[in-house]
Amino acid sequence: MRTMIVSDLDGTLLDKEHKVDAFTAETLQTLAAQGYAITIATGRHFLDVRGIRAALGVPAHLITSNGARVHDPEDCEIYAENIEPELARALMQPDVSSGSLLNAYVDEGWLVERECEELVGVYYKDSGFGYQVCNLAAHSGEGIAKILYIGEHQALTEIESRILARYGDEVYITFSAHDCLEVMAPTVSKGHALTAVLARLGIDAEHCCAFGDGQNDIEMLAVAGQGFVMANASPKLKAAHPNLPVIGSNEQHGVASQLRKMFNL
């Protein structure tokens, strides 16, 4: 049976500058040429990840916005799930978002409530992806795949507590990074999206290996038959999967090194 390789991006497949390195690209290109299926699973926007996939140079399914969108290697959308508009509007009000930089993902792009140029400089060197400033508190709430709150971790934990107290079973909420809290529809996760991709390709979960470093990778690693935790992974991910092997960090090209060992490259 065909094997699926699925990996998170930031802190996992990408280096400390959030870029694709040659060793990793060459490894995935070799495996793709041998017939292995590849999926990228990330909290990033589809329009952003297309550019990263191009830098990797492989055909890959894209699980984006933490599973709220799934596209095939030809960029055809095969799955989409939005936050209910009324709930999205409520989540973008100051009484919820206070203490953070409020962001939202829609199909057309990335919306931010105010200018924040440092965001683009850090994360989007390979893709050229950028934001549009928008009055999110006045947004209709239609078509929103994901809402992001960026800020100090303590402030974000307070936002998380407010959201869980008010809307607990109506959302899927997770940290994609220490300074980034993200909210999606309750049926959304990387694990749910990965299950859909595996079913579409007729690949059994036991023939899937997955790599992650963040809290938003917990469900994905639970789905995969072989899960690997990065050395630099968040404590929450390590605690959720204490029995999974820990491999090298993203700075040590941990994913590529593990794949070369597994598949004798």
Side-chain angles (χ1 to χ4, degrees), residues 8 41-45 63-70 105 145-148 172-176 180-185 187-193 215-217 219:
D8 170 55
T42 176
R44 291 184 182 231
H45 196 288
I63 294 171
T64 58
S65 296
N66 287 323
R69 298 289 185 273
V70 181
Y105 280 2
K146 182 176 82 166
I147 294 172
L148 308 78
Y172 168 59
I173 186 166
T174 186
F175 279 89
S176 63
C180 189
L181 180 68
E182 309 193 350
V183 181
M184 286 69 56
T187 54
V188 167
S189 73
K190 290 185 184 181
H192 184 270
Q215 182 182 340
N216 60 339
D217 296 315
E219 295 86 355

PDB file of all heavy atoms in Angstrom, residues 8 41-45 63-70 105 145-148 172-176 180-185 187-193 215-217 219:
ATOM      1  N   ASP A   8       3.791  19.145   9.655  1.00  0.00           N
ATOM      2  CA  ASP A   8       3.572  20.540   9.993  1.00  0.00           C
ATOM      3  C   ASP A   8       4.711  21.363   9.371  1.00  0.00           C
ATOM      4  O   ASP A   8       5.721  20.802   8.906  1.00  0.00           O
ATOM      5  CB  ASP A   8       3.571  20.665  11.524  1.00  0.00           C
ATOM      6  CG  ASP A   8       3.593  22.096  11.999  1.00  0.00           C
ATOM      7  OD1 ASP A   8       2.705  22.867  11.592  1.00  0.00           O
ATOM      8  OD2 ASP A   8       4.511  22.460  12.763  1.00  0.00           O
ATOM      9  N   ALA A  41       0.484  19.998   6.557  1.00  0.00           N
ATOM     10  CA  ALA A  41      -0.626  20.299   7.468  1.00  0.00           C
ATOM     11  C   ALA A  41      -0.204  21.441   8.386  1.00  0.00           C
ATOM     12  O   ALA A  41       0.721  21.289   9.184  1.00  0.00           O
ATOM     13  CB  ALA A  41      -1.011  19.069   8.277  1.00  0.00           C
ATOM     14  N   THR A  42      -0.874  22.571   8.285  1.00  0.00           N
ATOM     15  CA  THR A  42      -0.411  23.776   8.959  1.00  0.00           C
ATOM     16  C   THR A  42      -1.573  24.682   9.350  1.00  0.00           C
ATOM     17  O   THR A  42      -2.678  24.569   8.816  1.00  0.00           O
ATOM     18  CB  THR A  42       0.550  24.543   8.023  1.00  0.00           C
ATOM     19  OG1 THR A  42       0.940  25.774   8.624  1.00  0.00           O
ATOM     20  CG2 THR A  42      -0.103  24.839   6.677  1.00  0.00           C
ATOM     21  N   GLY A  43      -1.291  25.601  10.253  1.00  0.00           N
ATOM     22  CA  GLY A  43      -2.262  26.633  10.570  1.00  0.00           C
ATOM     23  C   GLY A  43      -2.259  27.764   9.564  1.00  0.00           C
ATOM     24  O   GLY A  43      -3.147  28.613   9.580  1.00  0.00           O
ATOM     25  N   ARG A  44      -1.274  27.807   8.691  1.00  0.00           N
ATOM     26  CA  ARG A  44      -1.149  28.899   7.724  1.00  0.00           C
ATOM     27  C   ARG A  44      -2.287  28.889   6.695  1.00  0.00           C
ATOM     28  O   ARG A  44      -2.977  27.897   6.521  1.00  0.00           O
ATOM     29  CB  ARG A  44       0.186  28.800   6.992  1.00  0.00           C
ATOM     30  CG  ARG A  44       1.416  29.097   7.838  1.00  0.00           C
ATOM     31  CD  ARG A  44       2.630  29.055   6.964  1.00  0.00           C
ATOM     32  NE  ARG A  44       3.883  29.265   7.645  1.00  0.00           N
ATOM     33  CZ  ARG A  44       4.806  30.155   7.264  1.00  0.00           C
ATOM     34  NH1 ARG A  44       4.565  30.935   6.223  1.00  0.00           N
ATOM     35  NH2 ARG A  44       5.948  30.267   7.908  1.00  0.00           N
ATOM     36  N   HIS A  45      -2.398  29.995   5.978  1.00  0.00           N
ATOM     37  CA  HIS A  45      -3.418  30.177   4.940  1.00  0.00           C
ATOM     38  C   HIS A  45      -3.023  29.419   3.677  1.00  0.00           C
ATOM     39  O   HIS A  45      -1.841  29.299   3.336  1.00  0.00           O
ATOM     40  CB  HIS A  45      -3.560  31.665   4.634  1.00  0.00           C
ATOM     41  CG  HIS A  45      -4.795  32.038   3.878  1.00  0.00           C
ATOM     42  ND1 HIS A  45      -4.973  31.732   2.540  1.00  0.00           N
ATOM     43  CD2 HIS A  45      -5.922  32.687   4.270  1.00  0.00           C
ATOM     44  CE1 HIS A  45      -6.153  32.191   2.146  1.00  0.00           C
ATOM     45  NE2 HIS A  45      -6.752  32.766   3.175  1.00  0.00           N
ATOM     46  N   ILE A  63      -3.319  20.785   3.855  1.00  0.00           N
ATOM     47  CA  ILE A  63      -4.255  20.984   4.961  1.00  0.00           C
ATOM     48  C   ILE A  63      -3.873  22.311   5.585  1.00  0.00           C
ATOM     49  O   ILE A  63      -2.770  22.463   6.120  1.00  0.00           O
ATOM     50  CB  ILE A  63      -4.147  19.847   5.991  1.00  0.00           C
ATOM     51  CG1 ILE A  63      -4.595  18.521   5.383  1.00  0.00           C
ATOM     52  CG2 ILE A  63      -4.953  20.173   7.248  1.00  0.00           C
ATOM     53  CD1 ILE A  63      -4.315  17.303   6.265  1.00  0.00           C
ATOM     54  N   THR A  64      -4.754  23.309   5.488  1.00  0.00           N
ATOM     55  CA  THR A  64      -4.411  24.654   5.942  1.00  0.00           C
ATOM     56  C   THR A  64      -5.448  25.175   6.931  1.00  0.00           C
ATOM     57  O   THR A  64      -6.500  24.558   7.132  1.00  0.00           O
ATOM     58  CB  THR A  64      -4.287  25.603   4.737  1.00  0.00           C
ATOM     59  OG1 THR A  64      -5.513  25.609   4.000  1.00  0.00           O
ATOM     60  CG2 THR A  64      -3.147  25.166   3.814  1.00  0.00           C
ATOM     61  N   SER A  65      -5.131  26.301   7.560  1.00  0.00           N
ATOM     62  CA  SER A  65      -6.001  26.874   8.600  1.00  0.00           C
ATOM     63  C   SER A  65      -6.378  25.815   9.635  1.00  0.00           C
ATOM     64  O   SER A  65      -7.517  25.718  10.069  1.00  0.00           O
ATOM     65  CB  SER A  65      -7.256  27.501   7.974  1.00  0.00           C
ATOM     66  OG  SER A  65      -6.912  28.585   7.149  1.00  0.00           O
ATOM     67  N   ASN A  66      -5.373  24.992   9.997  1.00  0.00           N
ATOM     68  CA  ASN A  66      -5.549  23.928  11.001  1.00  0.00           C
ATOM     69  C   ASN A  66      -6.599  22.892  10.617  1.00  0.00           C
ATOM     70  O   ASN A  66      -7.163  22.226  11.484  1.00  0.00           O
ATOM     71  CB  ASN A  66      -5.882  24.518  12.375  1.00  0.00           C
ATOM     72  CG  ASN A  66      -4.691  25.178  13.014  1.00  0.00           C
ATOM     73  OD1 ASN A  66      -3.574  24.699  12.892  1.00  0.00           O
ATOM     74  ND2 ASN A  66      -4.914  26.301  13.675  1.00  0.00           N
ATOM     75  N   GLY A  67      -6.867  22.756   9.321  1.00  0.00           N
ATOM     76  CA  GLY A  67      -7.827  21.760   8.865  1.00  0.00           C
ATOM     77  C   GLY A  67      -9.132  22.339   8.363  1.00  0.00           C
ATOM     78  O   GLY A  67     -10.009  21.603   7.919  1.00  0.00           O
ATOM     79  N   ALA A  68      -9.278  23.665   8.414  1.00  0.00           N
ATOM     80  CA  ALA A  68     -10.503  24.291   7.905  1.00  0.00           C
ATOM     81  C   ALA A  68     -10.563  24.286   6.382  1.00  0.00           C
ATOM     82  O   ALA A  68     -11.638  24.455   5.801  1.00  0.00           O
ATOM     83  CB  ALA A  68     -10.620  25.721   8.415  1.00  0.00           C
ATOM     84  N   ARG A  69      -9.417  24.095   5.730  1.00  0.00           N
ATOM     85  CA  ARG A  69      -9.350  23.979   4.282  1.00  0.00           C
ATOM     86  C   ARG A  69      -8.437  22.825   3.902  1.00  0.00           C
ATOM     87  O   ARG A  69      -7.393  22.622   4.536  1.00  0.00           O
ATOM     88  CB  ARG A  69      -8.810  25.267   3.640  1.00  0.00           C
ATOM     89  CG  ARG A  69      -9.658  26.507   3.865  1.00  0.00           C
ATOM     90  CD  ARG A  69     -10.953  26.450   3.068  1.00  0.00           C
ATOM     91  NE  ARG A  69     -11.707  27.695   3.186  1.00  0.00           N
ATOM     92  CZ  ARG A  69     -12.583  27.968   4.149  1.00  0.00           C
ATOM     93  NH1 ARG A  69     -12.779  27.085   5.129  1.00  0.00           N
ATOM     94  NH2 ARG A  69     -13.242  29.110   4.160  1.00  0.00           N
ATOM     95  N   VAL A  70      -8.836  22.092   2.852  1.00  0.00           N
ATOM     96  CA  VAL A  70      -7.986  21.046   2.281  1.00  0.00           C
ATOM     97  C   VAL A  70      -8.015  21.188   0.763  1.00  0.00           C
ATOM     98  O   VAL A  70      -9.088  21.305   0.169  1.00  0.00           O
ATOM     99  CB  VAL A  70      -8.452  19.628   2.679  1.00  0.00           C
ATOM    100  CG1 VAL A  70      -7.514  18.577   2.072  1.00  0.00           C
ATOM    101  CG2 VAL A  70      -8.518  19.467   4.193  1.00  0.00           C
ATOM    102  N   TYR A 105      -8.821  34.643   8.844  1.00  0.00           N
ATOM    103  CA  TYR A 105      -8.552  34.088   7.516  1.00  0.00           C
ATOM    104  C   TYR A 105      -9.868  33.885   6.768  1.00  0.00           C
ATOM    105  O   TYR A 105     -10.791  33.230   7.279  1.00  0.00           O
ATOM    106  CB  TYR A 105      -7.852  32.732   7.620  1.00  0.00           C
ATOM    107  CG  TYR A 105      -6.369  32.779   7.883  1.00  0.00           C
ATOM    108  CD1 TYR A 105      -5.684  33.976   8.059  1.00  0.00           C
ATOM    109  CD2 TYR A 105      -5.641  31.587   7.955  1.00  0.00           C
ATOM    110  CE1 TYR A 105      -4.325  33.991   8.304  1.00  0.00           C
ATOM    111  CE2 TYR A 105      -4.271  31.589   8.183  1.00  0.00           C
ATOM    112  CZ  TYR A 105      -3.614  32.797   8.363  1.00  0.00           C
ATOM    113  OH  TYR A 105      -2.259  32.800   8.605  1.00  0.00           O
ATOM    114  N   ALA A 145     -12.642  31.169   7.981  1.00  0.00           N
ATOM    115  CA  ALA A 145     -12.114  29.835   8.276  1.00  0.00           C
ATOM    116  C   ALA A 145     -11.489  29.764   9.658  1.00  0.00           C
ATOM    117  O   ALA A 145     -11.580  28.744  10.345  1.00  0.00           O
ATOM    118  CB  ALA A 145     -11.071  29.451   7.223  1.00  0.00           C
ATOM    119  N   LYS A 146     -10.848  30.869  10.052  1.00  0.00           N
ATOM    120  CA  LYS A 146     -10.085  30.846  11.296  1.00  0.00           C
ATOM    121  C   LYS A 146      -9.950  32.251  11.840  1.00  0.00           C
ATOM    122  O   LYS A 146      -9.790  33.215  11.092  1.00  0.00           O
ATOM    123  CB  LYS A 146      -8.689  30.253  11.031  1.00  0.00           C
ATOM    124  CG  LYS A 146      -7.801  30.133  12.238  1.00  0.00           C
ATOM    125  CD  LYS A 146      -6.479  29.459  11.917  1.00  0.00           C
ATOM    126  CE  LYS A 146      -5.477  30.426  11.323  1.00  0.00           C
ATOM    127  NZ  LYS A 146      -4.101  29.856  11.315  1.00  0.00           N
ATOM    128  N   ILE A 147     -10.001  32.376  13.166  1.00  0.00           N
ATOM    129  CA  ILE A 147      -9.721  33.623  13.856  1.00  0.00           C
ATOM    130  C   ILE A 147      -8.471  33.417  14.691  1.00  0.00           C
ATOM    131  O   ILE A 147      -8.327  32.392  15.367  1.00  0.00           O
ATOM    132  CB  ILE A 147     -10.911  34.055  14.728  1.00  0.00           C
ATOM    133  CG1 ILE A 147     -12.118  34.391  13.843  1.00  0.00           C
ATOM    134  CG2 ILE A 147     -10.546  35.246  15.605  1.00  0.00           C
ATOM    135  CD1 ILE A 147     -13.402  34.640  14.598  1.00  0.00           C
ATOM    136  N   LEU A 148      -7.547  34.388  14.621  1.00  0.00           N
ATOM    137  CA  LEU A 148      -6.283  34.296  15.336  1.00  0.00           C
ATOM    138  C   LEU A 148      -6.148  35.471  16.297  1.00  0.00           C
ATOM    139  O   LEU A 148      -6.500  36.601  15.954  1.00  0.00           O
ATOM    140  CB  LEU A 148      -5.087  34.370  14.387  1.00  0.00           C
ATOM    141  CG  LEU A 148      -4.945  33.478  13.179  1.00  0.00           C
ATOM    142  CD1 LEU A 148      -5.792  33.934  12.017  1.00  0.00           C
ATOM    143  CD2 LEU A 148      -3.487  33.437  12.749  1.00  0.00           C
ATOM    144  N   TYR A 172     -13.310  24.861  18.052  1.00  0.00           N
ATOM    145  CA  TYR A 172     -12.047  24.141  18.266  1.00  0.00           C
ATOM    146  C   TYR A 172     -11.005  25.222  18.486  1.00  0.00           C
ATOM    147  O   TYR A 172     -10.804  26.085  17.635  1.00  0.00           O
ATOM    148  CB  TYR A 172     -11.691  23.280  17.056  1.00  0.00           C
ATOM    149  CG  TYR A 172     -10.265  22.743  17.082  1.00  0.00           C
ATOM    150  CD1 TYR A 172      -9.826  21.943  18.132  1.00  0.00           C
ATOM    151  CD2 TYR A 172      -9.365  23.039  16.059  1.00  0.00           C
ATOM    152  CE1 TYR A 172      -8.521  21.451  18.163  1.00  0.00           C
ATOM    153  CE2 TYR A 172      -8.070  22.546  16.076  1.00  0.00           C
ATOM    154  CZ  TYR A 172      -7.651  21.762  17.135  1.00  0.00           C
ATOM    155  OH  TYR A 172      -6.360  21.274  17.161  1.00  0.00           O
ATOM    156  N   ILE A 173     -10.361  25.212  19.639  1.00  0.00           N
ATOM    157  CA  ILE A 173      -9.409  26.263  19.999  1.00  0.00           C
ATOM    158  C   ILE A 173      -8.065  25.639  20.340  1.00  0.00           C
ATOM    159  O   ILE A 173      -8.005  24.601  21.014  1.00  0.00           O
ATOM    160  CB  ILE A 173      -9.956  27.122  21.160  1.00  0.00           C
ATOM    161  CG1 ILE A 173      -9.053  28.319  21.446  1.00  0.00           C
ATOM    162  CG2 ILE A 173     -10.188  26.287  22.402  1.00  0.00           C
ATOM    163  CD1 ILE A 173      -9.702  29.372  22.348  1.00  0.00           C
ATOM    164  N   THR A 174      -6.985  26.243  19.841  1.00  0.00           N
ATOM    165  CA  THR A 174      -5.667  25.660  20.043  1.00  0.00           C
ATOM    166  C   THR A 174      -4.599  26.736  19.920  1.00  0.00           C
ATOM    167  O   THR A 174      -4.814  27.772  19.275  1.00  0.00           O
ATOM    168  CB  THR A 174      -5.395  24.541  19.013  1.00  0.00           C
ATOM    169  OG1 THR A 174      -4.160  23.893  19.314  1.00  0.00           O
ATOM    170  CG2 THR A 174      -5.341  25.080  17.593  1.00  0.00           C
ATOM    171  N   PHE A 175      -3.454  26.499  20.529  1.00  0.00           N
ATOM    172  CA  PHE A 175      -2.288  27.339  20.312  1.00  0.00           C
ATOM    173  C   PHE A 175      -1.481  26.738  19.171  1.00  0.00           C
ATOM    174  O   PHE A 175      -1.099  25.563  19.222  1.00  0.00           O
ATOM    175  CB  PHE A 175      -1.420  27.398  21.570  1.00  0.00           C
ATOM    176  CG  PHE A 175      -1.904  28.366  22.611  1.00  0.00           C
ATOM    177  CD1 PHE A 175      -2.808  27.962  23.588  1.00  0.00           C
ATOM    178  CD2 PHE A 175      -1.460  29.680  22.616  1.00  0.00           C
ATOM    179  CE1 PHE A 175      -3.258  28.851  24.553  1.00  0.00           C
ATOM    180  CE2 PHE A 175      -1.910  30.580  23.563  1.00  0.00           C
ATOM    181  CZ  PHE A 175      -2.807  30.168  24.545  1.00  0.00           C
ATOM    182  N   SER A 176      -1.196  27.524  18.140  1.00  0.00           N
ATOM    183  CA  SER A 176      -0.299  27.067  17.081  1.00  0.00           C
ATOM    184  C   SER A 176       1.135  27.456  17.409  1.00  0.00           C
ATOM    185  O   SER A 176       2.088  26.903  16.851  1.00  0.00           O
ATOM    186  CB  SER A 176      -0.697  27.663  15.730  1.00  0.00           C
ATOM    187  OG  SER A 176      -0.583  29.065  15.754  1.00  0.00           O
ATOM    188  N   CYS A 180       0.346  32.653  19.665  1.00  0.00           N
ATOM    189  CA  CYS A 180      -0.736  32.635  18.678  1.00  0.00           C
ATOM    190  C   CYS A 180      -1.823  31.644  19.080  1.00  0.00           C
ATOM    191  O   CYS A 180      -1.608  30.426  19.074  1.00  0.00           O
ATOM    192  CB  CYS A 180      -0.195  32.283  17.298  1.00  0.00           C
ATOM    193  SG  CYS A 180      -1.412  32.483  15.972  1.00  0.00           S
ATOM    194  N   LEU A 181      -2.993  32.175  19.425  1.00  0.00           N
ATOM    195  CA  LEU A 181      -4.167  31.379  19.789  1.00  0.00           C
ATOM    196  C   LEU A 181      -5.131  31.396  18.608  1.00  0.00           C
ATOM    197  O   LEU A 181      -5.410  32.458  18.038  1.00  0.00           O
ATOM    198  CB  LEU A 181      -4.837  31.975  21.023  1.00  0.00           C
ATOM    199  CG  LEU A 181      -6.089  31.262  21.530  1.00  0.00           C
ATOM    200  CD1 LEU A 181      -5.742  29.889  22.100  1.00  0.00           C
ATOM    201  CD2 LEU A 181      -6.785  32.122  22.587  1.00  0.00           C
ATOM    202  N   GLU A 182      -5.654  30.226  18.212  1.00  0.00           N
ATOM    203  CA  GLU A 182      -6.454  30.129  17.000  1.00  0.00           C
ATOM    204  C   GLU A 182      -7.784  29.417  17.270  1.00  0.00           C
ATOM    205  O   GLU A 182      -7.842  28.467  18.048  1.00  0.00           O
ATOM    206  CB  GLU A 182      -5.669  29.380  15.919  1.00  0.00           C
ATOM    207  CG  GLU A 182      -4.280  29.977  15.730  1.00  0.00           C
ATOM    208  CD  GLU A 182      -3.566  29.490  14.490  1.00  0.00           C
ATOM    209  OE1 GLU A 182      -4.043  28.536  13.851  1.00  0.00           O
ATOM    210  OE2 GLU A 182      -2.519  30.082  14.165  1.00  0.00           O
ATOM    211  N   VAL A 183      -8.830  29.894  16.608  1.00  0.00           N
ATOM    212  CA  VAL A 183     -10.176  29.361  16.808  1.00  0.00           C
ATOM    213  C   VAL A 183     -10.776  28.986  15.460  1.00  0.00           C
ATOM    214  O   VAL A 183     -10.748  29.773  14.514  1.00  0.00           O
ATOM    215  CB  VAL A 183     -11.084  30.378  17.515  1.00  0.00           C
ATOM    216  CG1 VAL A 183     -12.480  29.791  17.729  1.00  0.00           C
ATOM    217  CG2 VAL A 183     -10.481  30.807  18.844  1.00  0.00           C
ATOM    218  N   MET A 184     -11.318  27.783  15.375  1.00  0.00           N
ATOM    219  CA  MET A 184     -11.975  27.274  14.183  1.00  0.00           C
ATOM    220  C   MET A 184     -13.335  26.684  14.555  1.00  0.00           C
ATOM    221  O   MET A 184     -13.694  26.633  15.733  1.00  0.00           O
ATOM    222  CB  MET A 184     -11.128  26.176  13.518  1.00  0.00           C
ATOM    223  CG  MET A 184      -9.888  26.676  12.781  1.00  0.00           C
ATOM    224  SD  MET A 184      -8.572  27.350  13.827  1.00  0.00           S
ATOM    225  CE  MET A 184      -8.232  26.010  14.950  1.00  0.00           C
ATOM    226  N   ALA A 185     -14.069  26.192  13.567  1.00  0.00           N
ATOM    227  CA  ALA A 185     -15.327  25.490  13.818  1.00  0.00           C
ATOM    228  C   ALA A 185     -15.043  24.227  14.632  1.00  0.00           C
ATOM    229  O   ALA A 185     -13.940  23.671  14.577  1.00  0.00           O
ATOM    230  CB  ALA A 185     -16.000  25.134  12.488  1.00  0.00           C
ATOM    231  N   THR A 187     -15.719  21.130  14.376  1.00  0.00           N
ATOM    232  CA  THR A 187     -15.378  19.887  13.671  1.00  0.00           C
ATOM    233  C   THR A 187     -14.018  19.963  12.984  1.00  0.00           C
ATOM    234  O   THR A 187     -13.614  19.004  12.319  1.00  0.00           O
ATOM    235  CB  THR A 187     -16.442  19.573  12.613  1.00  0.00           C
ATOM    236  OG1 THR A 187     -16.595  20.710  11.746  1.00  0.00           O
ATOM    237  CG2 THR A 187     -17.782  19.262  13.259  1.00  0.00           C
ATOM    238  N   VAL A 188     -13.318  21.058  13.133  1.00  0.00           N
ATOM    239  CA  VAL A 188     -12.049  21.279  12.430  1.00  0.00           C
ATOM    240  C   VAL A 188     -10.863  20.859  13.290  1.00  0.00           C
ATOM    241  O   VAL A 188     -10.803  21.156  14.476  1.00  0.00           O
ATOM    242  CB  VAL A 188     -11.902  22.764  12.040  1.00  0.00           C
ATOM    243  CG1 VAL A 188     -10.471  23.093  11.606  1.00  0.00           C
ATOM    244  CG2 VAL A 188     -12.872  23.120  10.927  1.00  0.00           C
ATOM    245  N   SER A 189      -9.920  20.155  12.676  1.00  0.00           N
ATOM    246  CA  SER A 189      -8.596  19.899  13.250  1.00  0.00           C
ATOM    247  C   SER A 189      -7.731  19.312  12.142  1.00  0.00           C
ATOM    248  O   SER A 189      -8.244  18.817  11.128  1.00  0.00           O
ATOM    249  CB  SER A 189      -8.655  18.922  14.435  1.00  0.00           C
ATOM    250  OG  SER A 189      -8.903  17.597  13.996  1.00  0.00           O
ATOM    251  N   LYS A 190      -6.445  19.340  12.335  1.00  0.00           N
ATOM    252  CA  LYS A 190      -5.551  18.704  11.362  1.00  0.00           C
ATOM    253  C   LYS A 190      -5.826  17.196  11.292  1.00  0.00           C
ATOM    254  O   LYS A 190      -5.737  16.593  10.227  1.00  0.00           O
ATOM    255  CB  LYS A 190      -4.092  18.932  11.745  1.00  0.00           C
ATOM    256  CG  LYS A 190      -3.591  20.352  11.581  1.00  0.00           C
ATOM    257  CD  LYS A 190      -2.096  20.408  11.876  1.00  0.00           C
ATOM    258  CE  LYS A 190      -1.537  21.805  11.839  1.00  0.00           C
ATOM    259  NZ  LYS A 190      -0.080  21.829  12.097  1.00  0.00           N
ATOM    260  N   GLY A 191      -6.169  16.605  12.423  1.00  0.00           N
ATOM    261  CA  GLY A 191      -6.446  15.174  12.438  1.00  0.00           C
ATOM    262  C   GLY A 191      -7.673  14.814  11.624  1.00  0.00           C
ATOM    263  O   GLY A 191      -7.661  13.837  10.863  1.00  0.00           O
ATOM    264  N   HIS A 192      -8.739  15.604  11.755  1.00  0.00           N
ATOM    265  CA  HIS A 192      -9.957  15.362  10.989  1.00  0.00           C
ATOM    266  C   HIS A 192      -9.665  15.508   9.504  1.00  0.00           C
ATOM    267  O   HIS A 192     -10.111  14.697   8.672  1.00  0.00           O
ATOM    268  CB  HIS A 192     -11.035  16.348  11.423  1.00  0.00           C
ATOM    269  CG  HIS A 192     -12.357  16.130  10.769  1.00  0.00           C
ATOM    270  ND1 HIS A 192     -12.711  16.739   9.584  1.00  0.00           N
ATOM    271  CD2 HIS A 192     -13.425  15.360  11.112  1.00  0.00           C
ATOM    272  CE1 HIS A 192     -13.921  16.359   9.225  1.00  0.00           C
ATOM    273  NE2 HIS A 192     -14.377  15.528  10.142  1.00  0.00           N
ATOM    274  N   ALA A 193      -8.915  16.545   9.132  1.00  0.00           N
ATOM    275  CA  ALA A 193      -8.593  16.759   7.722  1.00  0.00           C
ATOM    276  C   ALA A 193      -7.695  15.658   7.174  1.00  0.00           C
ATOM    277  O   ALA A 193      -7.867  15.209   6.035  1.00  0.00           O
ATOM    278  CB  ALA A 193      -7.917  18.120   7.560  1.00  0.00           C
ATOM    279  N   GLN A 215       0.767  22.285  19.743  1.00  0.00           N
ATOM    280  CA  GLN A 215      -0.489  21.807  20.304  1.00  0.00           C
ATOM    281  C   GLN A 215      -1.492  21.486  19.200  1.00  0.00           C
ATOM    282  O   GLN A 215      -2.295  20.555  19.336  1.00  0.00           O
ATOM    283  CB  GLN A 215      -1.061  22.869  21.245  1.00  0.00           C
ATOM    284  CG  GLN A 215      -2.352  22.465  21.929  1.00  0.00           C
ATOM    285  CD  GLN A 215      -2.906  23.573  22.806  1.00  0.00           C
ATOM    286  OE1 GLN A 215      -2.187  24.495  23.201  1.00  0.00           O
ATOM    287  NE2 GLN A 215      -4.186  23.490  23.133  1.00  0.00           N
ATOM    288  N   ASN A 216      -1.450  22.232  18.108  1.00  0.00           N
ATOM    289  CA  ASN A 216      -2.392  21.981  17.014  1.00  0.00           C
ATOM    290  C   ASN A 216      -2.045  20.747  16.193  1.00  0.00           C
ATOM    291  O   ASN A 216      -2.736  20.432  15.223  1.00  0.00           O
ATOM    292  CB  ASN A 216      -2.505  23.211  16.104  1.00  0.00           C
ATOM    293  CG  ASN A 216      -1.186  23.605  15.463  1.00  0.00           C
ATOM    294  OD1 ASN A 216      -0.106  23.260  15.934  1.00  0.00           O
ATOM    295  ND2 ASN A 216      -1.271  24.347  14.372  1.00  0.00           N
ATOM    296  N   ASP A 217      -0.978  20.029  16.581  1.00  0.00           N
ATOM    297  CA  ASP A 217      -0.615  18.773  15.917  1.00  0.00           C
ATOM    298  C   ASP A 217      -1.061  17.541  16.708  1.00  0.00           C
ATOM    299  O   ASP A 217      -0.838  16.409  16.272  1.00  0.00           O
ATOM    300  CB  ASP A 217       0.908  18.694  15.701  1.00  0.00           C
ATOM    301  CG  ASP A 217       1.413  19.769  14.769  1.00  0.00           C
ATOM    302  OD1 ASP A 217       0.782  19.988  13.714  1.00  0.00           O
ATOM    303  OD2 ASP A 217       2.444  20.399  15.081  1.00  0.00           O
ATOM    304  N   GLU A 219      -4.001  16.113  17.400  1.00  0.00           N
ATOM    305  CA  GLU A 219      -4.964  15.225  16.740  1.00  0.00           C
ATOM    306  C   GLU A 219      -4.350  14.545  15.520  1.00  0.00           C
ATOM    307  O   GLU A 219      -4.615  13.378  15.246  1.00  0.00           O
ATOM    308  CB  GLU A 219      -6.211  16.014  16.327  1.00  0.00           C
ATOM    309  CG  GLU A 219      -7.023  16.565  17.507  1.00  0.00           C
ATOM    310  CD  GLU A 219      -6.522  17.914  17.994  1.00  0.00           C
ATOM    311  OE1 GLU A 219      -5.490  18.397  17.484  1.00  0.00           O
ATOM    312  OE2 GLU A 219      -7.166  18.466  18.899  1.00  0.00           O
TER     313      GLU A 219
END
